[in-house]
Amino acid sequence: MKDSFAKTAESLRQSFKGYLRSLNRWLLNTPERALLEAYQAAQRIKSIEDEHFDRKKISSQSAKYTENVMSYWQVYLNKNLTIIKIRLAEFQLSRGIVNISNSVLLEKLKVIDEVVERYAIKDEIINNSPLESTSQLITNNRNVIKRQPKSSNINIIDVKPPTQTNGVIPGSIGRTIHKIQEDFAPQTEEEFIRNYRISKSRTIIALRFLVILIIVPLLTQFLSKEFLVTPILQRVRGDNITQIFINSDMEKEALHELYNFQQSLRFEYLLNQAPPLSSEVIQEKIKDKAVEISEEFRTKSNSNLGNVFADLISLFSFGIIIALSKREIVILKSFMDTIVYGLSDSAKAFLIILLTDIFVGFHSPDGWEVLLAGLAEHLGLPASRNVIFFFIATFPVILNTIFKYWIFRYLSRLSPSALATLKEMDE
């Protein structure tokens, strides 16, 4: 037994050393590999410019293509720019660990910088377009509300009606004439199309980034668990009998299942549905069932431990996406603001009541208990009722306080009518 354990330990030690050597080689080659992929993406962009855009940047001003053709080239451009962005970030990160100095690398960096600088205007068009974003509108509304006088001083302020002007022609007629002139201006159609394309580009980026935020962590969790974490755990834990259960709840569940099997054999015998069995046969059946239960719970234990490490890897991948996507986060926030603040006051009040009732309402403790028990089972932790009840007694209360403070502090200024509707629906 000791020799077998020593051989297993030595095999694991050699495998671990092999993993370390492979990781070391991969880390040493990371800067050159990342820079090479970024350089190849830049070369692909330059080849498209040379062949189809007369050595100019990929845009509708450089060549006369139809909208569908330009959409194809734009997708190709965005794909390669994303590769350059990710690989440069990988190169900068790995370069801080591995010291490299090569004139060839500097030439590649120069080519990449030329391409990146040529398309830096793309971010400016998306982020600084003439369309005023919803967040800017909200900020302006906040500033206007802050400059409004107190309610007690309203009577002493001379407020001019909107239509009152000092000229002969009312201001509303002048604004109408100005609007008609703008509609017939030669650049109006181009401006409308430009604004439409910018809005469409923002929506596509926001939806694509939202899908990435959901799909990538889930896919990372599944793949890392199936192909990395679980095989390592199976080799480390092996068939050790003392490592079947990782908590007391699983052991109790296994013993309860074995006890039910024993009682089912006795029940079938008492109902004359099974022939009488000798004690040796009964013990053999119970032993086979115990082995089956042990294999089942060993697999379940490996799965629970794998969930812990796979969730950490998934969380790390989510953090990398957030760190490398500052522009996409700004666009997604603007997109969500447009949706939320575009809702009617009744819809806003309905959503607020729905969220508060789900998370901090009268029936929310049952939902929190099911959620926490499921999370404990997912991670292989014992579902301690004391911990669960303590969490339910504190966290929803804190969350309720935050909700009320947000409603009092911000909703009353952002949308007073929604707050009034909320009070009426709540009453």
Side-chain angles (χ1 to χ4, degrees):
M1 185 67 181
K2 291 183 179 179
D3 294 339
S4 176
F5 181 77
K7 291 180 180 179
T8 303
E10 182 64 24
S11 175
L12 290 176
R13 190 180 299 107
Q14 294 297 331
S15 300
F16 185 69
K17 288 182 179 179
Y19 290 145
L20 288 180
R21 285 193 295 268
S22 301
L23 180 62
N24 187 31
R25 288 194 298 268
W26 179 85
L27 184 61
L28 292 175
N29 296 330
T30 294
E32 295 183 3
R33 183 182 64 253
L35 187 61
L36 177 61
E37 294 181 7
Y39 175 76
Q40 291 173 349
Q43 288 291 354
R44 287 193 292 267
I45 295 176
K46 292 188 66 176
S47 64
I48 295 299
E49 293 174 347
D50 297 340
E51 295 176 7
H52 301 278
F53 291 89
D54 196 19
R55 296 185 178 181
K56 299 178 181 178
K57 63 178 297 184
I58 301 175
S59 65
S60 57
Q61 288 80 17
S62 302
K64 300 298 182 181
Y65 287 114
T66 62
E67 184 177 356
N68 290 330
V69 175
M70 281 305 306
S71 176
Y72 170 79
W73 291 126
Q74 194 65 40
V75 170
Y76 188 84
L77 173 65
N78 293 338
K79 178 182 177 181
N80 286 280
L81 287 176
T82 302
I83 293 174
I84 292 175
K85 179 181 177 181
I86 295 175
R87 296 311 174 194
L88 279 181
E90 185 179 357
F91 171 76
Q92 296 293 344
L93 181 62
S94 59
R95 192 185 63 170
I97 303 174
V98 181
N99 294 323
I100 57 174
S101 177
N102 194 334
S103 59
V104 178
L105 299 182
L106 296 179
E107 291 295 330
K108 292 180 180 179
L109 281 174
K110 183 178 179 180
V111 174
I112 295 171
D113 288 339
E114 291 176 357
V115 175
V116 171
E117 290 176 0
R118 189 156 55 246
Y119 291 96
I121 188 66
K122 180 176 182 291
D123 294 340
E124 296 177 4
I125 291 177
I126 294 178
N127 294 329
N128 302 320
S129 64
L131 291 177
E132 189 175 18
S133 63
T134 307
S135 58
Q136 291 173 336
L137 292 174
I138 295 169
T139 305
N140 294 336
N141 291 336
R142 289 179 181 175
N143 295 332
V144 170
I145 293 172
K146 288 180 180 179
R147 291 196 297 266
Q148 287 180 351
K150 299 292 184 179
S151 60
S152 59
N153 298 329
I154 289 179
N155 295 328
I156 64 175
I157 295 177
D158 184 14
V159 180
K160 294 182 180 181
T163 58
Q164 182 178 350
T165 60
N166 295 327
V168 178
I169 300 177
S172 59
I173 297 178
R175 288 192 296 270
T176 303
I177 296 174
H178 182 66
K179 179 65 169 59
I180 294 174
Q181 291 176 349
E182 288 183 348
D183 291 340
F184 283 97
Q187 69 273 14
T188 302
E189 184 176 357
E190 296 179 0
E191 187 71 18
F192 176 79
I193 294 175
R194 178 174 177 271
N195 292 339
Y196 167 75
R197 288 178 176 175
I198 293 174
S199 177
K200 180 181 178 181
S201 177
R202 285 181 171 181
T203 303
I204 292 175
I205 292 174
L207 293 178
R208 182 175 59 193
F209 181 62
L210 189 61
V211 171
I212 289 174
L213 285 180
I214 297 174
I215 297 298
V216 171
L218 293 178
L219 193 61
T220 303
Q221 198 272 349
F222 174 77
L223 294 178
S224 62
K225 178 183 176 182
E226 292 294 326
F227 299 103
L228 178 64
V229 178
T230 301
I232 293 176
L233 287 175
Q234 289 177 350
R235 292 192 61 178
V236 171
R237 301 186 79 224
D239 297 330
N240 195 342
I241 301 178
T242 61
Q243 296 181 353
I244 297 177
F245 310 106
I246 57 176
N247 59 60
S248 58
D249 290 346
M250 294 181 63
E251 185 175 2
K252 291 178 182 178
E253 184 180 354
L255 293 176
H256 182 71
E257 186 175 348
L258 184 61
Y259 176 77
N260 289 337
F261 177 76
Q262 295 178 0
Q263 295 301 318
S264 65
L265 291 178
R266 179 177 175 82
F267 184 75
E268 291 176 358
Y269 169 72
L270 292 177
L271 292 179
N272 296 323
Q273 294 181 358
L277 301 175
S278 62
S279 59
E280 291 80 6
V281 175
I282 294 176
Q283 291 297 325
E284 188 67 25
K285 284 181 172 293
I286 294 176
K287 182 179 180 180
D288 293 339
K289 185 64 176 179
V291 172
E292 179 183 347
I293 293 175
S294 67
E295 291 296 329
E296 176 185 350
F297 277 87
R298 180 180 288 109
T299 303
K300 187 176 180 180
S301 299
N302 291 337
S303 177
N304 291 336
L305 291 175
N307 288 334
V308 176
F309 295 101
D311 290 347
L312 291 176
I313 297 174
S314 176
L315 185 62
F316 180 72
S317 67
F318 182 81
I320 291 178
I321 295 174
I322 295 297
L324 298 178
S325 307
K326 295 181 180 179
R327 183 175 68 92
E328 287 79 2
I329 292 174
V330 173
I331 297 175
L332 179 60
K333 181 180 181 300
S334 176
F335 177 73
M336 297 301 296
D337 288 342
T338 303
I339 294 178
V340 173
Y341 291 101
L343 297 174
S344 63
D345 296 333
S346 300
K348 293 177 186 176
F350 172 78
L351 290 177
I352 292 173
I353 292 177
L354 179 64
L355 292 175
T356 52
D357 284 349
I358 289 176
F359 293 104
V360 297
F362 178 75
H363 298 287
S364 63
D366 298 331
W368 282 111
E369 185 175 356
V370 173
L371 182 64
L372 293 174
L375 180 63
E377 183 179 0
H378 175 76
L379 299 176
L381 300 174
S384 175
R385 300 191 65 84
N386 293 331
V387 175
I388 292 176
F389 288 156
F390 178 76
F391 181 89
I392 294 174
T394 55
F395 184 75
V397 176
I398 297 174
L399 202 60
N400 187 30
T401 305
I402 295 174
F403 267 120
K404 290 181 178 178
Y405 179 78
W406 177 82
I407 292 172
F408 171 77
R409 181 74 176 175
Y410 297 102
L411 187 63
S412 59
R413 294 188 297 173
L414 294 177
S415 182
S417 55
L419 180 59
T421 305
L422 177 63
K423 289 182 178 179
E424 293 180 2
M425 292 177 65
D426 213 4
E427 293 174 357

